Amino acid sequence: MTHGVTTAHAQPQSFLRRHVFSVDHKVIGRQYLDLALVAVVTGMVLSWIMRFHLGWPETPVPGLGKLAPTGAAGGIITPEYYLALMTMHGTIMVFFVLTTAPFAGFGNFFLPIHVGAADMAFPRINMMSFWVTLLAFLVLVSAFFIGDGPPLSGWTAYAPLSAVGKDAGPGQGVGQTLWAVSIAMFCVAQLLGSLNFIATTLDLRTRGMSLARLPFATWAWFITSVIGLIAFAVLMPACILLILDRVAGTSFFIPAGLVISDRLQPHAGGSPLLWQHLFWFFGHPEVYIAILPGFGIVSQILPVFARKPLLGPRVLIVCLIAIAFLSYTVWGHHMFLSGMNPLSATLFSVPTLVITIPATIICLLWIGTLYGARLRFTAAALFALGFVSVFVSGGISGFFLAQPSTDIYLHGTYFVVAHFHFVMGVAAMFGIFAGTYFWFPKMFGRMMNETLGKWHFWLTFIGVYCVFMPMHYLGLAGNVRRYSAFTDEYLQPLIPLHRFITIAALFTGAVQLIFLFNLIRSRLRGPIAPANPWEATTLEWSTSSPPPHDNFGGHPPVVTHGPNEFGGAGARDYVMQAEPR
Amino acid sequence: MSTTMVPPVPTVPAASVATADARPERRVAETGVWIAIATISMSFAALTSALVVRQSSGPDWRHLQLPSLLYVNTLVLLASSMTLESSRRHRGSFGLHATLLLGVLFLVGQVFAWRQLATQNVLLATGPSSAFFYVFTVLHALHVLGGLGGLGLVERRLAAGVLGRTTFKAAALYWHFMAVLWLYLLALLTIRG
C-alpha cells in the first residue's frame, strides 16, 4: 500500500455521485461552504429585523406582518418573537456558520491536500457528516414553520426555560424540541468530522510530511478537531437529557416546585445549573472551535503576502495547543452571575486571564512577521490584517469580563454583545473572507476580482467597527441585552445610538452583496487561475487549480521543506514544500 | 499577483513508494477506533458528572436495585470478548460467529432487564436514579449495536478473504472497549445508582 493513494476511489461518473452524494473531500468542503453561505444570509437577515426593531420599536418591519402573523402582527415584533429571532440568529451563526465554514468547509477541502493525501481517512463517514449537518440545519429552521414558532431561550438554551415545554412561552413547545434535536444531530456530525480530521492528519501524511512541516492552517484544524471531539461529546449527552426532560417527563434540569405560567410543573429535584455547566463546558471551547481555524488561516496567509517567514512557527503551535488545553478550564466565567461560590469564581477567573497570554503571543508573532515586510495588499491580506485588528479589539474587552467584579456589572449588558461579536463573530468572519479570497482560485480555478475585494474589505471593516464599537458604551451606560425595546425613560436617551448601530448594520450587510456578486461573477467569468497565483509554498499550490479528483494526479508528492520558507535571495523568494532539495 | 511557472513537483511512481515506505500498512481503522473510544469515554464521563451533580441537587434520589439479569448479561459480554480475541488470533470464523451470537444475546438480555424493571413500575421518569439507569444502559446498548454492525462487516470481509489485519484489530479493540465500558457502568450504577 502507498501513502496518499490507498483511500483514493475511482471518480464516479453519475451526476448525483459526483456533485451531490459525493465522497470527495473537495466536493464536501464546498457543500459545507455553500450551507454556511445560506446560513449566514439567514442569520444576517434575522439580525437586520432585530436591529430595525431596536432602532424604531414602534415602526412596523416592512413585510414581516405577513411572514410572522402571530409573532409580529402588523409588523410590530412582540418581545417573545424578538427572543425567538435572537435565539435563531445565535444558533444559526455559531453552529452553522462559524463552526461550519472555517473548520468543516475549508478544513475538508484543504486538510487532505495539505498533508498530501488523496482524500480523508474515512470518505463515507465524511459524506455522512455533511448530510447530517444539513439535516440538522433543516430541522432547526423548520421551527419557523412548525407549531407556534422558533424557541426563545437563546442559543445557550438555559434550563429550566428550555426544559419545561410550552408553558414557558410560544416556541417553547415543538420549537425548542426541534432546537435540541437539531443540535444533537449537529454534534454527531461534528464528532464524525473531527474523527476524520484527526485520523487523516495522523495517518495519511505523505512522505516527508512530518508534523513540524504541516502548514499552520492544518495544525489549527487538527487542534480544533481535538477540541471539538471533547466539546461535542459533552453537548450531545446534554441535549439528550434536555430532550428527555421535555418529552419523557424526567427531571434532570427542572427543580421541584417550579411554577411557570401559573402552572406547577410536574417535575422535581433537577438542577438548572447542571445544564449551564454541561453547556458551557462545550460552549467555551466552541468559541475556540470558531476562532482557531481563523488563527491558522491568518498564520498561513500573512507570510505569503509579507514575503517573510512567520515569526516563531513552533511558538505558534505551542500557543495553539496551550489555548486548546486552557479552553477547558474557563467555562465557569460564563456563570459568574448564576450563583457561584466566590472562590470558584476566582478559580475560573485565573485561567481566563491566563488564556490571554498565548493569544497575545500569537498576535505578537503576526505583528512581528509584518515588521519590515513589504506587504502585498491583496484582498486576502487585508482581511487577514483585519482579523488581527478585530480580534485584538474584541480580546481587550475580554479582560474586563474575565474578572468577576467587573463582569457582574457588565455581563447582562451590550458590552458582552460587543465583546463576543468582535472576538468570535467578526474575527471568524474575517478569517472566512481571508480564506475565501486566498483559496478561491484553487477551489474553482478562477481568480476573484481584487478591486471589488478591496472595496468589500474597507467598507466591511469600517462597518463592523461602527456596529460593534458603540455597543461597549451602551453596555457601560447600563443598556441591558436581550430586551426587545428600550422605550422606558432610563434607556430612551440611548435610542439615537441604537439607530446609528442599526443603520451601520444595514449598511454593512448591504456591503456583503459586493462579496456575493464577486463570488458568483468570478466563478463564471473570472480570469483562469494559474496553479500558484500567490507564490505560496504549501502543497495545494503544487497541484492544478482546481486539483484533480485524487488531488495529485496519481503521484503523491514527496515533501522536502517546511511551509514557512519565504524571503530567500535568488530568482524566487520562496521554496515550495515539494520542491527537490 | 504573479503568473510564474510552478516549479516541477518531484513525485515517485506509486509502485516504488510501496517498497520505500516506512509505514507499509495503514492504521486508519485503528486510529479511528482510538479516537472513537476517546470521544465515547468523554460522553460517558459527562453523564457521570451529571449523575453526581443530580444526586446532590434534590432530595428525591432513591437507590435503584439492579435486576440480577444484568450480571448474567455481563458474563455474556465478557465471553463475547474472549471468543473475538481467539478468532482474531487464529483468524477463525467460528469465534467471530460466536461473538456475533453472544453480542445479540447480550442485547436481548438487556431488553429483558428493562422489561423486568418496567413490570416493577420502574420507568424512565420514575425517579432520577432510574432515569440515569435507562440513559446509561440504552446509550451503551446503541454503541454495542454499532459494534455488531462493524463485526458484521469484518465477518463478510473475512469470508471473502479480504480482511486486513489492522481492520480486525480495530474492530476487536472497539468490542473490548464496549466490555470495559459496561463494567464501568455496572460499577457506577451499583455504587452510586
Side-chain angles (χ1 to χ4, degrees):
Chain A
M1 288 204 244
T2 63
H3 276 297
V5 286
T6 22
T7 53
H9 25 75
Q11 186 168 21
Q13 295 308 312
S14 80
F15 178 83
L16 272 183
R17 284 270 166 217
R18 279 182 74 160
H19 300 289
V20 185
F21 298 105
S22 171
V23 293
D24 183 345
H25 69 101
K26 298 186 287 298
V27 177
I28 294 168
R30 287 208 301 266
Q31 287 172 328
Y32 270 116
L33 290 170
D34 288 341
L35 171 63
L37 197 60
V38 172
V40 78
V41 170
T42 315
M44 196 179 68
V45 169
L46 296 178
S47 73
W48 274 356
I49 300 172
M50 285 188 287
R51 276 315 320 173
F52 185 90
H53 182 69
L54 288 170
W56 291 274
E58 270 120 36
T59 312
V61 182
L64 191 65
K66 287 210 177 78
L67 287 173
T70 47
I76 303 281
I77 293 171
T78 61
E80 291 84 356
Y81 197 65
Y82 177 85
L83 291 177
L85 293 172
M86 188 193 79
T87 302
M88 294 299 270
H89 168 79
T91 309
I92 288 174
M93 289 302 203
V94 170
F95 291 100
F96 296 97
V97 180
L98 300 182
T99 308
T100 301
F103 175 54
F106 286 127
N108 248 304
F109 199 105
F110 288 104
L111 185 140
I113 308 182
H114 275 174
V115 303
D119 206 320
M120 284 283 185
F122 308 104
R124 270 178 220 187
I125 289 180
N126 201 21
M127 175 178 82
M128 201 160 85
S129 64
F130 168 74
W131 287 99
V132 175
T133 308
L134 177 68
L135 208 57
F137 180 69
L138 294 177
V139 168
L140 182 72
V141 292
S142 72
F144 275 114
F145 312 103
I146 297 174
D148 42 5
L152 37 82
S153 46
W155 85 278
T156 55
Y158 270 16
L161 186 61
S162 62
V164 292
K166 61 181 184 310
D167 282 352
Q172 293 303 91
V174 185
Q176 185 69 58
T177 306
L178 289 170
W179 184 96
V181 170
S182 163
I183 298 309
M185 288 167 67
F186 188 84
C187 292
V188 174
Q190 290 307 310
L191 289 172
L192 294 176
S194 297
L195 187 146
N196 242 322
F197 277 38
I198 297 173
T200 305
T201 314
L202 290 180
D203 282 352
L204 293 195
R205 295 194 311 278
T206 189
R207 234 172 11 133
M209 182 56 88
S210 60
L211 286 176
R213 284 177 178 165
L214 279 182
F216 305 126
T218 285
W219 258 112
W221 287 319
F222 176 65
I223 292 167
T224 306
S225 318
V226 177
I227 302 178
L229 198 73
I230 299 169
F232 286 107
V234 174
L235 184 62
M236 196 178 65
C239 281
I240 292 173
L241 299 188
L242 183 65
I243 294 170
L244 291 178
D245 266 9
R246 300 181 51 76
V247 303
T250 55
S251 302
F252 293 107
F253 305 124
I254 309 172
L258 190 68
V259 176
I260 290 185
S261 300
D262 295 330
R263 252 168 48 88
L264 180 65
Q265 299 300 318
H267 294 271
S271 164
L273 273 181
L274 174 59
W275 168 263
Q276 292 192 25
H277 279 294
L278 291 173
F279 183 85
W280 285 118
F281 186 84
F282 147 80
H284 198 82
E286 165 63 25
V287 173
Y288 293 97
I289 293 172
I291 202 66
L292 284 194
F295 276 34
I297 291 169
V298 169
S299 304
Q300 187 146 349
I301 287 178
L302 280 183
V304 172
F305 295 107
R307 310 312 296 167
K308 277 178 68 186
L310 187 85
L311 192 66
R314 274 165 203 263
V315 179
L316 173 81
I317 307 303
V318 170
C319 286
L320 288 176
I321 293 170
I323 288 176
F325 176 75
L326 286 167
S327 75
Y328 282 102
T329 63
V330 301
W331 81 89
H333 72 223
H334 296 272
M335 299 166 59
F336 287 154
L337 293 194
S338 304
M340 184 182 268
N341 181 328
L343 181 67
S344 320
T346 311
L347 284 177
F348 280 117
S349 175
V350 171
T352 306
L353 290 166
V354 170
I355 203 170
T356 61
I357 296 171
T360 308
I361 293 175
I362 291 176
C363 291
L364 290 174
L365 293 180
W366 290 331
I367 294 166
T369 306
L370 296 174
Y371 183 76
R374 280 203 308 234
L375 202 64
R376 293 178 182 169
F377 282 99
T378 60
L382 285 171
F383 271 106
L385 292 173
F387 177 98
V388 182
S389 167
V390 290
F391 181 77
V392 170
S393 297
I396 284 172
S397 56
F399 288 107
F400 301 94
L401 300 170
Q403 299 166 67
S405 49
T406 35
D407 181 66
I408 284 169
Y409 176 72
L410 295 169
H411 194 85
T413 73
Y414 268 73
F415 194 89
V416 170
V417 181
H419 165 70
F420 69 71
H421 274 94
F422 263 135
V423 82
M424 77 177 278
V426 179
M429 281 310 298
F430 273 43
I432 297 169
F433 286 137
T436 308
Y437 284 109
F438 185 62
W439 279 315
F440 186 93
K442 185 53 62 182
M443 295 178 73
F444 299 103
R446 287 177 186 274
M447 303 300 294
M448 283 184 88
N449 185 304
E450 277 293 314
T451 314
L452 287 178
K454 283 171 194 164
W455 274 103
H456 174 223
F457 168 75
W458 284 111
L459 295 176
T460 306
F461 186 69
I462 294 165
V464 292
Y465 268 102
C466 287
V467 174
F468 295 111
M469 214 60 190
M471 287 190 188
H472 294 104
Y473 300 105
L474 285 178
L476 291 170
N479 196 140
V480 283
R481 57 183 171 135
R482 305 196 185 101
Y483 283 26
S484 70
F486 305 105
T487 44
D488 59 66
E489 211 178 303
Y490 171 56
L491 292 168
Q492 186 72 37
L494 294 171
I495 282 277
L497 196 48
H498 273 291
R499 289 194 179 143
F500 173 78
I501 293 173
T502 299
I503 293 166
L506 292 169
F507 167 78
T508 313
V511 165
Q512 305 315 309
L513 292 174
I514 302 176
F515 174 69
L516 274 182
F517 173 76
N518 197 353
L519 212 56
I520 295 166
R521 205 191 73 148
S522 305
R523 179 79 204 272
L524 302 172
R525 298 236 182 111
I528 299 295
N532 188 6
W534 314 121
E535 301 184 299
T537 57
T538 42
L539 288 182
E540 76 268 36
W541 307 107
S542 299
T543 183
S544 61
S545 303
H549 176 68
D550 68 351
N551 295 340
F552 299 99
H555 301 290
V558 176
V559 172
T560 46
H561 297 272
N564 202 20
E565 305 203 0
F566 291 97
R572 274 197 301 122
D573 66 346
Y574 64 104
V575 183
M576 298 189 74
Q577 284 202 269
E579 226 165 293
R581 275 198 181 276
Chain B
M1 193 210 318
S2 152
T3 49
T4 45
M5 289 289 290
V6 182
V9 177
T11 56
V12 218
S16 75
V17 176
T19 48
D21 201 332
R23 287 177 289 182
E25 196 173 1
R26 267 202 204 298
R27 298 179 310 232
V28 282
E30 211 183 319
T31 311
V33 167
W34 275 117
I35 299 166
I37 288 175
T39 186
I40 294 168
S41 303
M42 192 63 216
S43 281
F44 280 91
L47 284 169
T48 304
S49 76
L51 179 143
V52 172
V53 170
R54 179 62 183 82
Q55 210 164 27
S56 58
S57 78
D60 57 342
W61 192 279
R62 304 277 173 278
H63 180 72
L64 181 75
Q65 191 61 46
L66 297 181
S68 45
L69 182 56
L70 289 186
Y71 301 107
V72 181
N73 294 349
T74 308
L75 292 178
V76 171
L77 192 60
L78 289 178
S80 79
S81 242
M82 285 180 214
T83 51
L84 184 64
E85 199 48 31
S86 90
S87 163
R88 189 180 72 83
R89 291 199 181 159
H90 307 109
R91 293 185 75 81
S93 62
F94 176 75
L96 188 57
H97 288 139
T99 306
L100 282 166
L101 191 70
L102 289 167
V104 173
L105 202 62
F106 170 79
L107 288 180
V108 172
Q110 294 294 82
V111 173
F112 272 100
W114 294 327
R115 287 177 55 128
Q116 218 173 57
L117 279 175
T119 53
Q120 297 162 21
N121 241 342
V122 179
L123 302 166
L124 180 67
T126 303
S129 55
S130 71
F132 273 104
F133 171 81
Y134 281 106
V135 167
F136 274 124
T137 51
V138 170
L139 281 180
H140 177 263
L142 288 175
H143 283 95
V144 169
L145 199 62
L148 280 175
L151 287 180
L153 198 76
V154 165
E155 198 266 342
R156 273 221 317 262
R157 286 197 185 167
L158 185 69
V162 292
L163 180 66
R165 203 170 52 82
T166 54
T167 311
F168 205 161
K169 198 172 161 199
L173 187 63
Y174 181 84
W175 194 257
H176 297 327
F177 171 66
M178 282 300 116
V180 172
L181 180 63
W182 175 250
L183 289 178
Y184 165 74
L185 291 179
L186 196 66
L188 177 75
L189 292 168
T190 308
I191 298 165
R192 308 273 321 221

